Amino acid sequence: MNTRTYLDNAATTPLDPEVFAAMLPYFQRKHGNASSLHEEGRQARKAVEDARRLIAEALSWDPEGIVFTSGATEADNLAIFGLARSRPDRRHIICSAIEHHAILHPCDWLEQQGYRITRIPVDTTGRVNPQSIADAIDDQTLLVSIMAGNNELGILEPIREIGELCRARSVLFHTDAVQAFGRVDLPTESTDLISLSAHKLHGPKGVGALAARPGMRLVPLVHGGGHERGVRSGTENVHGIVGFASACRLMVERRETLVERLSGFRKQLIDGVLRIPGTRLNGDRSGSLPHIANFSFAAIEGESLVMKLDERGIAASTGSACSSPNLEPSHVLQAIGVPIEMAHGSLRLSMGQQTTQADIDTLLRTLPGVVEDLRSISPFKLGDS
Ligand SMILES: Cc1ncc(COP(=O)(O)O)c(C=O)c1O
C-alpha cells in the first residue's frame, strides 16, 4: 500500500495507468520508425499523426502547426530561438519577470548577443498588467511571451487580453501553457505559439509540443533528417507521443470534475495552512490554477520544511522543481515582493488527479507540528521577519 502523500504535481504527475496501457504496444509490438515505408513504419506514422490531430483538437489548433519536442523546455527554446533566427531584423523580446527559466534563460542568452529584453514586472499576486506590455511594444518587438499559469504561484495571467493587444500591434504572442493546459480554458485563437508538456498531465516525461501557427517560419534548433516538417529533426518518440495524446484526451474528458475537486482542496489547503501563525499565501485565492498553492513561513528554511515533510511521508517542494537544489530564493517570489527571509521559507503544494481528501487531511494534520518543531530550533524568532 502506498502510504506516501504526493503533493508535488507541478513538478511532475504520476503516469495514468490508462496512458501507460496506451503506450505499451509502442514499446513492443508496434515498434516501427514513423519514417519507414513498411507496415511497421506506417503503423507508427499513423499513431503519431492521430496523436497530433487529437492534441490539435484539444487546442482548437491546426494539426499542421503541432511540432513534437522533448518537452516544454525545448518548446520554449524553439519558440524564442526559432523565431529570433527567422526574423533577425527584429531584436526586442518582451516576457514577464516570473516566466519559467526555459523562457528567461534563452532571453538572457539573446541579451548577451545584443537583443533588447523587456522583463515586465508583476503585481504582488504575480499578475502582469497588460498595459505594461502595450507600453513596452515598439517597432523592433519580435515576440511577447507570457505564461498562462505560473508554476510556482498558480496565478493565471490575462493572456486573452495580452494576445489580443499583441495581434492589434502585429506582434507575435507565445504562451507557456504547461501548467494551465487541461485545467483552464486557453484563448488559443489569440495566441500564435503555445508550449505544452505531457508529464504535467499524467503523461510520460520527455515529450511535449510547440503549437505554432501553420506557415510560421521557425529556424530549427536541431538539424538532421528533417522530421516534424523540417522544424525538429530526430526519430519521433512514438510511445511518448501516443502517451501524450492519451493523457491529453483523458484530461479533456475529466477536466470539469477534476477542476471542481481540486479547487475545493486548494481552498481547504489555503484556509488550513493560513491558520498556522507567521504564514502567508503567495499568489492569490482566486484567479488561480486549481492545483497549485504557495505559502511562506516566517523563521523557517523551505528546504528543511520539505525534508521534514518528506520524512513524514509527504512530498512537496519549495518552488519550481528546477530551482529546488538552488539556495537562491525563487525569482518568482522575489518578483512579487516577498521579503527575502519569507522567500527562503516557501512551500509549494500541488495536486493531481490522484489527490484525495485523505492527502489534504494528512498534510493539514502534519504541517503545524513540523513548522513548530523547525521554529523551536530556528535561530530566527517569529517576529523577526
Ligand atoms: C511553466 C513551465 N514551463 C516549462 C517547464 C519545463 O517543462 P519540461 O519538463 O517538459 O521541459 C515546466 C516544468 O517544470 C513548467 O512548469
Side-chain angles (χ1 to χ4, degrees), residues 319-364:
S320 79
C322 331
S323 60
S324 279
N326 188 336
L327 290 182
E328 257 287 288
S330 136
H331 67 285
V332 174
L333 298 184
Q334 291 187 61
I336 64 170
V338 178
I340 199 95
E341 326 76 55
M342 283 295 260
H344 274 294
S346 64
L347 181 72
R348 179 185 66 183
L349 301 171
S350 53
M351 299 164 284
Q353 66 186 24
Q354 79 294 349
T355 306
T356 61
Q357 182 65 52
D359 292 328
I360 304 302
D361 295 344
T362 301
L363 184 276
L364 292 177

Side-chain angles (χ1 to χ4, degrees), residues 10-12 69-76 98-103 147-152 176-180 195-200 204-209 292 320-322 348:
T12 196
T69 63
S70 62
T73 300
E74 187 188 335
D76 284 347
I98 63 166
E99 293 304 307
H100 193 271
H101 285 135
I103 292 291
M147 70 200 328
N150 185 268
N151 51 304
E152 291 192 38
D176 175 331
V178 166
Q179 300 288 348
S195 298
L196 304 175
S197 178
H199 73 105
K200 313 287 183 171
K205 294 172 187 63
V207 58
I292 301 178
S320 79
C322 331
R348 179 185 66 183

Side-chain angles (χ1 to χ4, degrees), residues 178-347:
V178 166
Q179 300 288 348
F181 179 55
R183 289 161 184 128
V184 293
D185 269 331
L186 292 173
T188 52
E189 66 290 351
S190 41
T191 308
D192 299 299
L193 298 129
I194 305 177
S195 298
L196 304 175
S197 178
H199 73 105
K200 313 287 183 171
L201 299 169
H202 302 279
K205 294 172 187 63
V207 58
L210 180 66
R213 290 267 160 238
M216 178 184 293
R217 201 173 111 72
L218 291 167
V219 175
L221 309 183
V222 182
H223 298 264
H227 306 76
E228 294 298 286
R229 296 181 179 80
V231 180
R232 202 279 187 178
S233 285
T235 301
E236 288 90 345
N237 172 4
V238 181
H239 49 274
I241 291 170
V242 166
F244 183 11
S246 166
C248 180
R249 183 178 57 75
L250 292 174
M251 207 67 188
V252 170
E253 279 171 21
R254 295 172 180 167
R255 189 179 112 181
E256 214 169 302
T257 41
L258 180 67
V259 166
E260 195 181 318
R261 194 159 57 87
L262 298 190
S263 302
F265 288 163
R266 184 174 188 268
K267 184 173 180 316
Q268 288 182 39
L269 281 179
I270 294 173
D271 291 344
V273 173
L274 291 184
R275 274 190 214 113
I276 302 171
T279 307
R280 60 170 270 162
L281 172 71
N282 299 318
D284 205 352
R285 277 182 177 271
S286 59
S288 294
L289 290 166
H291 67 298
I292 301 178
N294 189 311
F295 304 93
S296 278
F297 299 84
I300 284 188
E301 286 290 338
E303 287 73 16
S304 317
L305 190 50
V306 166
M307 279 156 59
K308 287 286 173 204
L309 287 173
D310 187 33
E311 282 170 13
R312 285 163 176 76
I314 300 173
S317 138
T318 56
S320 79
C322 331
S323 60
S324 279
N326 188 336
L327 290 182
E328 257 287 288
S330 136
H331 67 285
V332 174
L333 298 184
Q334 291 187 61
I336 64 170
V338 178
I340 199 95
E341 326 76 55
M342 283 295 260
H344 274 294
S346 64
L347 181 72

